[in-house]
Amino acid sequence: MRIPCPICGERDRREFYYQGDALALNRPDPDAGDGAWNDYIHNRDNPAGVTCDLWHHEAGCSNWLVVTRNTVTHEVLGAELASKVKGEQE
Amino acid sequence: MRLSDYGQIDRGNAVSFRFDGKTYGGFQGDTLASALLANDVRLVARSFKYHRPRGILSAGSEEPSAIVTVGSGVHQDPNVRATVQEIYDGFEANSQNRWPSLKHDLLSVNDLMAPFLSAGFYYKTFMWPRAFWEKLYEPVIRRAAGLGALSEKPNEDTYERAFAHCDVLVIGAGPAGLWAAYQLAQTGLDVILADEDFCMGGRLNSEADQIGGKPAADWAADMVATLDQMDNVRLLTRTTVTGAYDGGTYGAVERVSHHMNDRGGDRPLETFWRIHAKRAVLAAGALERTIGFSNNDRPGIMQAGAVRSYLHRYGVATGKRLVVFGNNDNAFRTANDLSAAGVEVAAYVDARADAAIDGDFPIYRGAHVTDTKGRLGLSSVQISDGGRTHNIAADCLAVSGGWNPTVHMTCHMNGRPTWDETIASFVPTAGSIPGMSVAGSAAGHLSTSACFESAQDIAARVAGDLGKTTPADPLPTAENAAYAIEPLWAVPGKARAWLDYQNDVTVKDIKQAAQENFRSVEHMKRYTTQGMATDQGKNSNVAALAILADATGRGIPDTGTTTFRPPYSPVAIAAMGGEARGTGFAPERFTTSHAVAKDMAAPMIEAGLWYRPSYFPEHGETTWRQSCDREVMMVRENVGVCDVSTLGKIDIQGKDAAKLLDFIYTNMYSTLKVGRVRYGLMLREDGHVMDDGTTARLGENHYVMTTTTAAAGLVMRHLDFVTQCLHPEWDVSFISVTEQWAQFAVAGPRARDLLSNFVEDDISNDAFGFMQCGAMNVMGVAGRLFRISFSGEMGYEVAVPARYGESLFRLLVAKAKELGGGAYGMEALNVLRIEKGFITHAEIHGRTTAFDIGMERMISAKKDCIGKTAAARPGMVDPDRECLVGLKPVGTVKQLTAGAHLFNEGDAATRANDQGYITSVGYSPTLGHFMGLGFLRNGPNRIGEHVKMVDHLRGVEAVCEVIDPVAFDPEGGRLRA
Amino acid sequence: MLKLVAKSPAEGLVPIAVGAMELNEVVPAAITSIACYHGQSAALSAALKEHHGMALPKTGQATGRAGARAIWAGPSVFLVGPEPDADLSNHAAIVDQSDSWCVLNLKGADVEAVLARLSSVDMRLKSMKKGQVVRSQLQHMNAIYHRVSDDSFDIYAFRSMAKTMVHDIDRAMRYIASRA
């Protein structure tokens, strides 16, 4: 598996640390309530198809990436800097 | 028997080798199989289950039968295919799975018991009594059924891993692979051409054909030479591409030294390549399949194509009198070639009634081979010809049931091949592997001419995808015979007819599976083990499917097919591991004081990747406890020096540095004064403790954080997460300075006396009090000093740039000794901190909360922080949770053990009664007894109570008193002294 | 008076010469991490240029020349050689990294083949030009590769791992030489 790091270019999976669903970017407010926090900390979809998750280019530029990939075909559809994705949300 | 006018072996290079203790002669360019056949050795193995005598079936890596053990001792290599292994002078191999000898194998009795050993016999026979399985059945079966044995000695061979990159990877160097590579290479694209054979050319080396007016093998050799001259082409011989993986990554094993007699030294035995290719062309060829007929597994019964390989490539006649049996024109080729070479063809048997063939040997059309004879090797063949039966004496029977395209790699990413009625076999389904195209006979083009055509076409398309145009050279003229086949899977007969030679699966087994309702191809496979051996049923799967289809009244396409997984052919685990074993498994990290500690004979303990001294033995000390006790008392009474450089150190700067620290720590750092240090607790977002450590404020916007040794990487990643994924707007940056600073703890009542030899500045309590920090000139070097303590004593940590670490440590220890102190190691450090109730990752092991360790008040109410919301959930602050306590033994057993569980005194030591567990223990010379830290239900409210410690694993039980975790100097006067 | 003695990260481990390859230690006078503050990259680049003669390198690049270089190093840029001018701290976080890294120069005709044993990244000479920088792995440790000439690379890895670093490179060199 190869991940197209926006900084370093396409790299082998071995250089990355896998974290999990990219919804980790959407941290609720402290008073958002139990439901929101439960969803943020514990609940994850398990899609057969396209999913977005976080990978850390630990052996490269140290950037967290939002990687879009297909869990059925294993196709990696793209990767963006998490800081950019987060910045655009604001 | 060797034929003088045939073969590409190097007759000028004779080699001598041994098989089963007997010496034979062969030539450079021989495989073990060809050399044995040249010496008329037909019996080379015993089969897996029935211990049937077996010979050589094929001439390639698909070989199911001729499996031997090469070498002996540490270099012993079991389960080597004789058809792949090259011989060299001094080469030695032995047959396997037989006792006492290949000719007289006692376990061939299994063959007589065959009625009881058919498909599913494990499941039916060894059901009960249950206890017999582990003690009796399994050991017996393992001894009886099996392949070669390991030496049981450490493997001394070296294996290498390597990466390669190219535009196009061409897999297989037969006519299609060579031509595709040549077309692609001329466009300037980077091409890697990999072939599992030691001589490229594929079938071209095994046929009597002419290509472009030259003998096929010569044409191949010339093409290989041409490619070798091109800078953008890399040829990998003896390299099997074993798997196709995501993103254009391919695994390949190169056999670097298996063909050499000077094994060892710097040269690896094998190299495992990870090849990244933008595109790949699979030109892996096709594999010949057998036909199921009674006793079709005797030594001397071979693939027809293999018989031609031995003839043309190795100059070996596989027998003196041959019968050829087939259902396609390819089989006829074998008879023709043999006849032309002067080898007697006793009969050519063609299942097709209308076969348009002609030759000067007896031809039987519409006929079948129905049985064979010969105990240790074929002696005669029974033919049924329109109701008449002939018995024909023969020592070799060449069989062709047709050819199966080598679709294996196209299945590696879940692709399923497609049934092609015209060639009665499966062909690759387009797009099965993104970026891979299939050319030549692997795609079902079964003439040489069609292979060239397909390679030309595929190369043009692949080049086009990469923005290049192939030259479209005129195709070489080549054989273009039609492939006329009439499917024939099995010939009815009374005796067993083999399909999977390696797992001893017969036609009857498949039918039985169908009868017992294992109708799904996947069920049949597992019930019979068809195709589950190391050859993955390369020459039997298709026939097995066809027989299952027939037995269940379905067509082959409806029956479906099992799929193939990597590796294409067996790969040694050691090859995949490469250098990553022993100390090569992970980097070793050494502190700057390592050499000094080694000089002092300190045993090392691994802490993550780091090596840290366990203790520093003094003369006369015979146990680690003696050293540890002395070192603890030395720190409590005098002064000790300890290398703490392994703790993670992170330099944090920027105008939002304080904001970041406030957010990741439970407590406040924005309020910390410059020149001060504060202990901090870090939570995960789920409310559990992630790490702890001290952070110093060196300037308004400048902090240095310390993490535990274990969590240094984790915390860096966490900081990256917080600053990139949650707050990219914060202007803050950080970098690890763990490696930059050598840092030593100087602890004990005389710490200040010791340090004053090294610094000129005033470090008195007034000038440099507890939890102060700052830049410090250390013997003329710009260093740093921190007034912190992990021992409970007056403590400093002094840091200098790492280049001075060894020197400073040596001097500190020498000076400390003058004062009656010295160095202390991990064991003493651990006891010192247990006495003080200081936690490590033994306590913050991932399931404990701030509440559990008694630090819930460190979660600031004035701000949000990671983990704050989750840590406030009711279950996380339930008083009945297991909380940190100290423990001391008060019964007759004075020992405590880490990992032991705690129970109320009167309760049985069962899971339901569990009250908690012990995380850290040590003998405290200061207190004069063992002390432990652990977690106990409602612990803080049970100080003074007695509980029972039970270590079920080590069989230790002790009555303990629950005590305050801070057992020594609870007021902390000593560290502020 | 007692005096502290400096020791270089690869002291006693190199030089090594195997076949067509050489491995030598490089000890820059200073290595300084320069992490640009928000919105300061133009000013930082100008300051670098003014005080040290090279612009801020782009991703995967190095600027300057032997003895005074700025190399891209992922989250920050490393100034390799000169002591950093104090002015730089107006635009960036400045952190001394002089003692953090073991820097080795790998040189010789087989450099491509040796690198192919160390990292999964394509560092063939045709793919990675002089002056280019790659952050990747060296076997199992993180490393920075900087191509400094036709046939040589400076390789940076953590000081504490120097022994394994030398061991891994040496082994790769021997593997290659054994095939000659």
Side-chain angles (χ1 to χ4, degrees):
Chain A
M1 177 173 165
R2 295 173 69 84
I3 294 175
C5 173
I7 301 295
C8 302
E10 192 185 275
R11 292 290 180 91
D12 191 277
R13 172 205 53 77
R14 72 189 57 233
E15 293 192 350
F16 297 84
Y17 172 87
Y18 174 73
Q19 172 76 24
D21 200 296
L23 71 76
L25 266 59
N26 310 317
R27 186 174 188 268
D29 289 333
D31 55 2
D34 288 348
W37 275 98
N38 196 25
D39 283 345
Y40 179 67
I41 297 173
H42 299 121
N43 295 333
R44 297 291 182 270
D45 287 335
N46 183 20
V50 174
T51 187
C52 292
D53 38 32
L54 285 171
W55 296 71
H56 188 231
H57 197 185
E58 198 159 38
C61 59
S62 300
N63 278 294
W64 281 96
L65 310 180
V66 176
V67 176
T68 309
R69 63 191 179 94
N70 187 314
T71 59
V72 176
T73 63
H74 295 188
E75 189 183 1
V76 175
L77 302 161
E80 276 191 282
L81 290 178
S83 56
K84 184 163 168 275
V85 174
K86 181 70 182 174
E88 283 165 1
Q89 283 175 4
E90 297 298 305
Chain B
M1 179 177 57
R2 197 77 75 171
L3 301 174
S4 53
D5 297 334
Y6 278 78
Q8 300 139 36
I9 41 166
D10 182 358
R11 287 178 202 260
N13 250 319
V15 299
S16 164
F17 70 100
R18 289 165 75 80
F19 178 68
D20 271 352
K22 200 173 161 202
T23 304
Y24 298 96
F27 297 104
Q28 186 92 36
D30 261 327
T31 61
L32 174 60
S34 69
L36 287 172
L37 288 168
N39 285 285
D40 300 325
V41 177
R42 291 189 297 167
L43 173 65
V44 297
R46 287 280 175 166
S47 75
F48 183 70
K49 192 159 95 179
Y50 299 124
H51 289 250
R52 299 262 296 184
R54 289 284 165 81
I56 294 158
L57 181 80
S58 75
S61 69
E62 74 270 32
E63 178 62 33
S65 293
I67 292 177
V68 301
T69 296
V70 173
S72 57
V74 290
H75 295 306
Q76 181 168 317
D77 211 350
N79 309 331
V80 173
R81 289 149 294 160
T83 48
V84 171
Q85 175 66 50
E86 295 162 66
I87 57 165
Y88 46 80
D89 221 25
F91 174 83
E92 189 172 354
N94 287 289
S95 59
Q96 54 191 38
N97 199 31
R98 82 285 187 267
W99 190 84
S101 75
L102 196 52
K103 278 194 178 141
H104 306 283
D105 179 5
L106 286 180
L107 278 168
S108 55
V109 67
N110 281 7
D111 200 28
L112 303 174
M113 292 167 62
F116 308 104
L117 296 177
S118 63
F121 84 99
Y122 286 99
Y123 312 119
K124 292 170 183 166
T125 314
F126 301 115
M127 294 285 289
W128 46 261
R130 206 173 147 187
F132 274 34
W133 176 252
E134 206 175 305
K135 298 228 159 57
L136 179 67
Y137 296 147
E138 186 177 328
V140 167
I141 292 169
R142 286 214 182 277
R143 209 171 312 132
L147 297 168
L150 293 166
S151 70
E152 298 190 21
K153 297 184 177 78
N155 186 345
E156 285 183 5
D157 294 313
T158 50
Y159 296 82
E160 178 192 45
R161 81 166 183 172
F163 297 90
H165 307 267
C166 61
D167 293 315
V168 188
L169 168 66
V170 181
I171 303 162
L178 286 172
W179 192 252
Y182 180 56
Q183 292 299 301
L184 288 160
Q186 290 179 83
T187 67
L189 289 167
D190 283 320
V191 175
I192 292 179
L193 175 61
D195 193 279
E196 62 179 352
D197 206 322
F198 58 91
C199 179
M200 289 188 168
R203 280 306 296 177
L204 297 181
N205 294 326
S206 293
E207 303 290 1
D209 294 344
Q210 296 276 311
I211 292 181
K214 302 187 230 192
D218 293 354
W219 183 90
D222 291 351
M223 181 53 79
V224 171
T226 302
L227 291 169
D228 197 29
Q229 290 302 309
M230 300 174 82
D231 285 342
N232 56 329
V233 178
R234 177 175 198 163
L235 301 177
L236 293 174
T237 51
R238 299 186 179 90
T239 303
T240 309
V241 178
T242 56
Y245 303 92
D246 294 321
T249 303
Y250 297 84
V253 179
E254 180 184 3
R255 293 177 300 283
V256 181
S257 303
H258 282 291
H259 61 292
M260 300 180 178
N261 58 6
D262 59 334
R263 203 151 145 174
D266 282 341
R267 198 179 44 239
L269 184 63
E270 296 178 1
T271 299
F272 194 89
W273 290 92
R274 274 110 173 151
I275 302 170
H276 177 249
K278 291 186 186 128
R279 298 294 308 263
V281 176
L282 179 67
L287 297 169
E288 201 167 17
R289 62 196 182 211
T290 53
I291 298 170
F293 53 86
S294 293
N295 291 308
N296 62 346
D297 68 328
R298 297 191 193 281
I301 301 178
M302 305 174 68
Q303 294 169 343
V307 169
R308 293 204 301 284
S309 290
Y310 289 113
L311 175 66
H312 295 299
R313 179 165 173 185
Y314 301 102
V316 171
T318 49
K320 292 186 179 66
R321 193 177 145 85
L322 285 91
V323 173
V324 180
F325 175 37
N327 61 346
N328 65 84
D329 287 350
N330 236 281
F332 180 68
R333 263 185 144 189
T334 307
N336 235 352
D337 288 4
L338 286 166
S339 177
V343 182
E344 184 182 355
V345 178
Y348 174 68
V349 185
D350 200 314
R352 299 169 298 174
D354 57 349
I357 44 175
D358 191 21
D360 54 359
F361 36 77
I363 294 178
Y364 299 85
R365 289 186 183 78
H368 293 153
V369 169
T370 48
D371 203 353
T372 68
K373 284 199 168 65
R375 197 174 71 83
L376 296 176
L378 183 73
S379 60
S380 76
V381 176
Q382 188 186 72
I383 297 169
S384 164
D385 171 25
R388 281 170 305 174
T389 300
H390 313 268
N391 282 302
I392 297 174
D395 56 358
C396 180
L397 170 59
V399 182
S400 179
W403 291 79
N404 297 329
T406 307
V407 301
H408 302 66
M409 201 121 16
T410 65
C411 301
H412 285 183
M413 288 171 70
N414 216 20
R416 299 266 164 175
T418 308
W419 182 253
D420 182 344
E421 201 66 49
T422 57
I423 60 165
S425 193
F426 286 99
V427 293
T429 303
S432 290
I433 305 283
M436 181 198 265
S437 317
V438 188
S441 55
H445 306 289
L446 294 176
S447 78
T448 311
S449 175
C451 283
F452 283 134
E453 231 172 274
S454 133
Q456 180 101 330
D457 173 49
I458 293 291
R461 281 195 263 164
V462 167
D465 289 350
L466 297 172
K468 303 279 186 184
T469 307
T470 49
D473 294 313
L475 291 174
T477 53
E479 164 270 330
N480 194 18
Y483 175 68
I485 182 167
E486 192 179 289
L488 174 64
W489 310 108
V491 178
K494 286 207 177 81
R496 282 167 295 164
W498 264 262
L499 289 167
D500 184 330
Y501 290 84
Q502 200 175 88
N503 264 357
D504 268 342
V505 180
T506 64
V507 171
K508 194 177 138 224
D509 291 325
I510 309 293
K511 290 182 173 165
Q512 185 189 329
Q515 235 166 43
E516 297 184 11
N517 213 25
F518 293 93
R519 294 161 57 93
S520 147
V521 62
E522 298 290 352
H523 288 155
M524 176 278 283
K525 170 178 170 171
R526 281 148 188 88
Y527 195 58
T528 62
T529 71
Q530 162 65 42
M532 290 174 72
T534 58
D535 68 334
Q536 292 195 43
K538 288 195 179 72
N539 39 43
S540 58
N541 272 354
V542 176
L545 287 176
I547 290 161
L548 179 70
D550 189 46
T552 55
R554 294 173 292 182
I556 292 173
D558 301 328
T559 307
T561 176
T562 54
T563 187
F564 299 98
R565 299 187 186 90
Y568 171 71
S569 59
V571 179
I573 295 289
M576 285 189 270
E579 302 91 343
R581 60 182 194 186
T583 52
F585 185 68
E588 295 176 292
R589 299 183 80 175
F590 299 108
T591 61
T592 57
S593 68
H594 188 78
V596 186
K598 293 294 269 186
D599 288 350
M600 294 168 76
M604 291 291 162
I605 186 169
E606 287 176 52
L609 301 177
W610 290 99
Y611 286 77
R612 303 187 73 180
S614 211
Y615 54 96
F616 294 85
E618 292 267 291
H619 187 71
E621 290 173 349
T622 54
T623 68
W624 69 269
R625 260 290 301 281
Q626 290 173 318
S627 307
C628 176
D629 288 357
R630 173 185 48 75
E631 288 173 13
V632 170
M633 293 316 292
M634 177 182 85
V635 173
R636 290 275 176 248
E637 291 170 356
N638 204 307
V639 62
V641 180
C642 180
D643 193 329
V644 293
S645 310
T646 62
L647 273 75
K649 298 180 277 290
I650 304 172
D651 186 285
I652 302 172
Q653 297 186 47
K655 67 179 169 54
D656 293 319
K659 220 183 252 181
L660 170 65
L661 289 166
D662 280 350
F663 187 58
I664 56 158
Y665 276 124
T666 59
N667 46 334
M668 296 286 271
Y669 277 86
S670 48
T671 56
L672 182 68
K673 290 190 177 69
V674 173
R676 305 289 299 186
V677 185
R678 183 169 284 170
Y679 172 80
L681 196 65
M682 217 178 265
L683 304 183
R684 299 194 308 240
E685 196 66 277
D686 66 5
H688 292 90
V689 179
M690 175 191 278
D691 198 39
D692 71 343
T694 57
T695 289
R697 191 168 200 171
L698 300 180
E700 182 57 28
N701 295 324
H702 188 188
Y703 293 82
V704 175
M705 170 192 287
T706 60
T707 73
T708 57
T709 301
L714 174 77
V715 171
M716 273 302 276
R717 202 159 59 219
H718 182 57
L719 295 180
D720 278 333
F721 175 80
V722 169
T723 55
Q724 293 172 30
C725 299
L726 300 180
H727 290 289
E729 75 282 7
W730 287 350
D731 193 2
V732 57
S733 63
F734 43 87
I735 186 167
S736 169
V737 288
T738 307
E739 301 273 344
Q740 172 68 20
W741 298 95
Q743 193 153 320
F744 307 113
V746 178
R750 304 194 68 186
R752 193 173 293 126
D753 299 345
L754 173 57
L755 261 186
S756 55
N757 291 291
F758 294 83
V759 299
E760 283 170 17
D761 288 27
D762 182 3
I763 54 167
S764 69
N765 215 16
D766 293 341
F768 207 88
F770 184 56
M771 293 306 238
Q772 250 180 271
C773 68
M776 187 69 52
N777 182 320
V778 183
M779 302 176 72
V781 168
R784 286 172 180 172
L785 193 67
F786 305 85
R787 178 80 194 272
I788 51 181
S789 174
F790 195 52
S791 61
E793 296 300 322
M794 175 209 292
Y796 297 85
E797 288 188 9
V798 57
V800 289
R803 72 185 70 177
Y804 301 111
E806 179 175 328
S807 181
L808 178 59
F809 187 78
R810 208 181 281 280
L811 294 172
L812 278 170
V813 172
K815 268 287 170 208
K817 283 190 169 172
E818 285 175 24
L819 296 173
Y824 65 101
M826 289 297 96
E827 296 296 347
L829 178 140
N830 195 39
V831 171
L832 290 161
R833 68 96 190 169
I834 290 172
E835 290 172 347
K836 286 292 293 177
F838 293 147
I839 54 171
T840 66
H841 279 290
E843 284 72 40
I844 46 173
H845 50 52
R847 294 183 297 118
T848 47
T849 64
F851 176 85
D852 298 341
I853 54 172
M855 295 190 188
E856 71 275 20
R857 283 180 305 278
M858 274 185 70
I859 304 177
S860 169
K862 294 179 194 148
K863 60 171 181 94
D864 185 22
C865 74
I866 296 271
K868 183 176 177 178
T869 307
R873 288 175 293 175
M876 305 289 267
V877 290
D878 183 342
D880 209 32
R881 285 179 69 88
E882 292 160 345
C883 293
L884 186 69
V885 293
L887 294 154
K888 96 179 202 197
V890 290
T892 46
V893 175
K894 301 296 184 195
Q895 186 197 2
L896 298 179
T897 55
H901 278 246
L902 302 172
F903 302 91
N904 289 332
E905 254 194 303
D907 286 353
T910 59
R911 188 192 54 78
N913 292 333
D914 194 84
Q915 291 290 305
Y917 53 95
I918 298 189
T919 50
S920 303
V921 298
Y923 177 77
S924 164
T926 321
L927 305 169
H929 58 72
F930 260 91
M931 181 180 165
L933 296 176
F935 290 86
L936 180 68
R937 282 185 183 283
N938 194 22
N941 297 316
R942 295 171 70 177
I943 306 289
E945 278 183 27
H946 285 190
V947 292
K948 180 170 69 176
M949 178 205 88
V950 180
D951 187 330
H952 289 92
L953 264 178
R954 302 182 187 89
V956 184
E957 212 175 306
V959 180
C960 308
E961 182 188 328
V962 181
I963 59 173
D964 190 310
V966 189
F968 182 70
D969 187 28
E971 299 79 26
R974 298 176 72 92
L975 42 76
R976 290 184 176 82
Chain C
M1 179 62 186
L2 301 168
K3 194 172 170 345
L4 294 181
V5 183
K7 188 175 175 180
S8 76
E11 196 176 301
L13 299 171
V14 289
I16 293 173
V18 184
M21 299 302 299
E22 291 172 40
L23 187 66
N24 289 286
E25 184 170 16
V26 181
V27 186
I31 302 173
T32 309
S33 165
I34 301 170
C36 191
Y37 292 140
H38 285 191
Q40 290 288 312
S41 67
L44 175 62
S45 190
L48 257 183
K49 189 115 198 158
E50 184 189 341
H51 301 294
H52 301 295
M54 83 284 281
L56 201 60
K58 293 190 170 65
T59 299
Q61 302 288 332
T63 54
R65 71 208 71 78
R69 298 185 199 275
I71 70 166
W72 174 84
S76 65
V77 161
F78 286 176
L79 179 63
V80 182
E83 288 292 336
D85 190 276
D87 178 32
L88 298 179
S89 61
N90 293 319
H91 313 290
I94 305 299
V95 182
D96 187 6
Q97 291 272 293
S98 309
D99 292 54
S100 295
W101 300 89
C102 175
V103 189
L104 299 175
N105 181 265
L106 175 69
K107 182 177 171 59
D110 290 329
V111 68
E112 260 183 10
V114 174
L115 292 171
R117 267 79 185 160
L118 304 176
S119 164
S120 61
V121 176
D122 183 2
M123 288 189 276
R124 290 176 296 163
L125 299 179
K126 64 181 290 183
S127 312
M128 189 168 165
K129 307 288 179 216
K130 266 187 279 185
Q132 278 190 271
V133 180
V134 158
R135 272 203 89 139
S136 176
Q137 293 168 312
L138 189 156
Q139 287 284 359
H140 305 286
M141 69 183 78
N142 290 353
I144 302 170
Y145 297 87
H146 173 204
R147 183 170 172 199
V148 291
S149 76
D150 285 341
D151 67 344
S152 85
F153 285 69
D154 283 351
I155 309 175
Y156 296 62
F158 281 150
R159 178 190 192 104
S160 67
M161 302 185 192
K163 188 180 164 195
T164 302
M165 179 192 189
V166 170
H167 172 262
D168 289 351
I169 299 173
D170 174 53
R171 183 178 48 200
M173 294 196 300
R174 284 187 288 108
Y175 280 167
I176 304 300
S178 77
R179 293 188 184 223

